[in-house]
Amino acid sequence: MTEIGKIITGVAQGEARAIGRAISMVENHAASAPALVEALDGQRIAACLVLGITGPPGAGKSTLTARLIQEYRRRGRRIGIVAVDPSSPLSGGALLGDRVRMMTHTLDPDVVIRSMASRGRLGGVCGAAGAAVRIMAHSGCTVVLIETVGVGQSEMDVVGIADLTAMVLAPGLGDDIQAMKAGLLEVADLLVVNKADLRGADRLILDMESVALQRQDKQGRAVPVCATVADQGQGVAALVDHFHRLHREIEASGAKERHRRRARRAEVADWAMELLRPRIIEAVAARSTLDGDALVLARQILTEMGLAPRK
Amino acid sequence: MRKMYRVLIGKPGLDGHDRGAKVIARALRDHGFEVIYTGIRRLPAEIAAAAVQEDVDVVGLSSLSGAHLRLFPAVVEELARLGAEDIAVIGGGVVPAEDIAALQEAGISRILTPGASLQEVIHAFETACEEREG
Ligand SMILES: Nc1nc2c(ncn2[C@@H]2O[C@H](COP(=O)(O)OP(=O)(O)OP(=O)(O)O)[C@@H](O)[C@H]2O)c(=O)[nH]1
């Protein structure tokens, strides 16, 4: 069997080594990556539920994710997690620590966890994260969580890949929440008020319920607001019930498929930009002189590459 | 495009001090590595399984409890069991000079002694990653 064939078979059989390698191949733009992703099982991918877990730093996303893993495992599901964190803009490196709270699940062969740095990609992290999700689905995961800090645009773009997105908030995080309210309305299918054991939680729940009322679905229902105490596991089973119900609804209405088609378009654009980036950098480096204005030069270079920008 | 180096920093065993491990993790990040940090008191099998899922190039182990002669080789064995003998293992913490030969024998590719500077640490990870890339 070819090297790539072995990896695909390994992924389908749920082998951790093969899954890990496959994700790296896509992340690193390996020459064999297209052949790999082409061989992934479309049916498994279509059936899988992709959940976005986002929110401000410290809201308890990792703690909640660990509890969601526990709850889904209790229900017999094989689950994948893609934990995305920003890369340092200065060094290009990243410190990926989300796993710490999930380590108790490391020896469970039906829990697949991958940490991913945003790597300052031109098109955001969507391309690589999307491929990781599909590789996990191919390996038999019927639920995949994407955990990301809801701060920058590229992090928010990641949630575009998710079929359903939960915004996790907590009392005591200050003005961030006010600032996020507008964005909240657009992306969240579900609002989670975590740290419901802390002072100020009741107030935040009321606030969120009024936010939720402003965004009703077609049946006139408000976006659900769930209260959780993630470090104790409270409210987590109810949250999973909500995910389950919403998933059934978006599958039945066709909204899941429509959303996936839209996300796909965005992802293709991301990949195209990502793949073009090294060629542009090369073309700029190949210029012996760079006289004149940067904008003019950039247009010239693109035109020479056959990519003339619009007038 | 140069491949991004990914490393995992783990603390096997019972000692609960991870200040040193965190300093190293941050230094590696500031040097352009992607660093997966797994926290304290991990089983060798947990560290190896995480390293395989994250597909890292190198695992860095830190032990202050004196159990390194048992714990470091156990991580190497677990990696091999998972078909990942190509992931290099670097050991550090409080390893006395007389244990170095035994650890190298057991497949630990580099040992960092307590006197090692951050530069030396980064260099060790860098060369281990480069060697793996071939
Ligand atoms: N009181 C209380 N504390 C919680 C709860 N859930 C999480 N925490 C604590 O909140 C802190 C932050 O939790 P994390 O899970 O790391 O939060 P996060 O949103 O992933 O944070 P970042 O990784 O920084 O984005 C930790 O100290 C948790 O123990 C909760 O329900 N109640």
Side-chain angles (χ1 to χ4, degrees):
Chain A
M1 212 191 288
T2 60
E3 188 61 31
I4 191 91
K6 266 190 222 146
I7 290 188
I8 290 161
T9 311
V11 171
Q13 288 167 354
E15 282 169 23
R17 182 71 171 149
I19 298 168
R21 298 308 294 272
I23 295 172
S24 296
M25 285 165 64
V26 180
E27 234 194 340
N28 296 326
H29 302 181
S32 43
L36 177 105
V37 291
E38 252 190 329
L40 299 177
D41 183 333
Q43 268 177 352
R44 284 188 179 185
I45 292 168
C48 178
L49 170 62
V50 185
L51 293 173
I53 308 289
T54 189
K61 297 177 296 297
S62 302
T63 312
L64 183 64
T65 297
R67 290 295 182 167
L68 287 168
I69 298 173
Q70 192 181 18
E71 180 61 23
Y72 274 111
R73 291 298 298 130
R74 206 179 58 76
R75 299 183 186 203
R77 307 281 287 264
R78 175 176 164 90
I79 183 169
I81 292 88
V82 182
V84 182
D85 276 309
S87 297
S88 152
L90 288 179
S91 72
L95 189 49
L96 308 168
D98 290 323
R99 273 197 92 97
V100 173
R101 300 192 194 282
M102 306 173 202
M103 282 303 280
T104 46
H105 302 286
T106 299
L107 294 180
D108 182 342
D110 287 316
V111 179
V112 185
I113 303 173
R114 178 72 173 219
S115 312
M116 197 171 265
S118 56
R119 290 194 186 175
R121 290 178 175 84
L122 195 56
V125 73
C126 304
V133 166
R134 290 189 287 274
I135 288 165
M136 288 178 180
H138 184 75
S139 86
C141 294
T142 56
V143 185
V144 177
L145 307 185
I146 305 177
E147 184 197 324
T148 176
V149 191
V151 283
Q153 187 56 47
S154 69
E155 287 79 28
M156 289 301 274
D157 283 348
V158 178
V159 305
I161 310 166
D163 301 315
L164 295 171
T165 297
M167 178 70 75
V168 185
L169 299 163
L173 294 178
D175 298 335
D176 290 10
I177 311 234
Q178 290 303 328
M180 287 178 80
K181 266 190 188 170
L184 278 182
L185 283 171
E186 283 158 40
V187 300
D189 300 290
L190 216 145
L191 298 171
V192 179
V193 175
N194 186 41
K195 307 194 188 183
D197 56 322
L198 294 188
R199 268 216 350 238
D202 292 347
R203 185 60 219 258
L204 184 59
I205 292 169
L206 279 178
D207 266 8
M208 287 306 117
E209 277 169 350
S210 76
V211 167
L213 273 176
Q214 295 165 38
R215 222 199 78 188
Q216 298 176 347
D217 61 18
K218 284 199 199 75
Q219 286 86 38
R221 276 175 314 191
V223 173
V225 178
C226 300
T228 57
V229 184
D231 60 354
Q232 325 258 334
Q234 277 169 35
V236 176
L239 181 58
V240 169
D241 288 340
H242 272 293
F243 284 140
H244 194 69
R245 177 180 59 77
L246 290 170
H247 187 211
R248 268 199 320 251
E249 286 174 10
I250 58 169
E251 275 197 323
S253 70
K256 181 179 176 183
E257 212 192 310
R258 279 197 300 280
H259 179 78
R260 288 238 180 146
R261 270 204 298 270
R262 262 200 310 279
R264 200 177 169 73
R265 199 166 281 283
E267 220 186 293
V268 172
D270 276 355
W271 271 118
M273 287 190 270
E274 181 64 24
L275 295 172
L276 198 56
R277 181 190 172 102
R279 287 194 43 206
I280 295 174
I281 291 170
E282 265 166 40
V284 174
R287 283 279 181 129
S288 50
T289 55
L290 284 174
D291 297 329
D293 188 81
L295 172 62
V296 176
L297 283 167
R299 295 184 70 102
Q300 265 173 22
I301 288 171
L302 284 179
T303 306
E304 283 162 21
M305 290 172 76
L307 291 164
R310 277 204 206 95
K311 284 277 179 288
Chain B
M1 193 174 84
R2 169 170 102 54
K3 179 183 167 299
M4 181 67 76
Y5 290 146
R6 282 169 74 85
V7 301
L8 181 144
I9 301 294
K11 282 191 63 68
L14 293 176
D15 76 84
H17 300 282
D18 65 346
R19 204 174 314 147
K22 279 183 170 161
V23 167
I24 287 172
R26 283 196 205 100
L28 288 167
R29 175 201 57 196
D30 293 342
H31 210 76
F33 289 79
E34 284 180 3
V35 185
I36 289 108
Y37 185 67
T38 55
I40 54 173
R41 297 202 179 96
R42 298 306 173 199
L43 298 173
E46 288 175 338
I47 291 174
V52 165
Q53 290 189 358
E54 299 288 354
D55 192 33
V56 294
D57 301 290
V58 175
V59 172
L61 301 174
S62 158
S63 167
L64 305 174
S65 66
H68 49 269
L69 280 179
R70 181 171 56 82
L71 295 170
F72 292 1
V75 173
V76 174
E77 277 162 34
E78 288 291 336
L79 283 171
R81 204 175 54 80
L82 297 168
E85 46 280 284
D86 56 311
I87 296 179
V89 177
I90 295 179
V94 282
V95 177
E98 63 264 30
D99 290 347
I100 292 179
L103 288 173
Q104 281 172 337
E105 185 75 12
I108 317 298
S109 73
R110 283 172 178 73
I111 314 292
L112 296 162
T113 45
S117 68
L118 272 183
Q119 272 79 3
E120 286 169 304
V121 172
I122 289 166
H123 183 73
F125 277 87
E126 214 155 40
T127 47
C129 287
E130 278 162 10
E131 276 168 22
R132 181 166 185 262
E133 209 175 6

